[in-house]
Amino acid sequence: QRYLYFASNTSGNYDIYLREPSGRVTRLTHHPADELHPSFSPDGKELLFARASQAGFDIVRLNLSSEQERVVA
């Protein structure tokens, strides 16, 4: 089964979403800044993405099991 992670602005700003094989779509991020370009970590346990900031963009790591985020760059 394949899952699709993508960015969409259906909520008014760009957030990261998950589309499951069943067609169910879940919003994974809820930050007011735009979040774009989701990509998996090499082990597949985390999702990395870019979040708009005053300095340009931060790189954020989202643990897919705990849903905890941390800025890594």
Side-chain angles (χ1 to χ4, degrees), residues 1-2 11 18 21-22 29 32 34-35 37 39-40 44 47-49 57:
Q1 295 192 16
R2 296 184 183 225
S11 64
L18 161 67
S22 66
T29 61
D34 285 342
E35 295 160 319
H37 310 298
S39 180
F40 282 104
L47 192 68
L48 290 92
F49 56 89
F57 281 92

Side-chain angles (χ1 to χ4, degrees), residues 2-63:
R2 296 184 183 225
Y3 295 82
L4 174 66
Y5 292 87
F6 63 97
S8 174
N9 65 348
T10 59
S11 64
N13 65 303
Y14 281 92
D15 286 299
I16 306 298
Y17 291 82
L18 161 67
R19 184 177 188 271
E20 298 179 31
S22 66
R24 179 179 174 213
V25 176
T26 304
R27 184 175 164 190
L28 298 178
T29 61
H30 296 83
H31 196 276
D34 285 342
E35 295 160 319
L36 304 162
H37 310 298
S39 180
F40 282 104
S41 62
D43 64 7
K45 295 180 180 180
E46 297 177 308
L47 192 68
L48 290 92
F49 56 89
R51 176 181 286 154
S53 68
Q54 290 181 339
F57 281 92
D58 293 330
I59 303 300
V60 179
R61 188 177 289 244
L62 171 65
N63 183 299

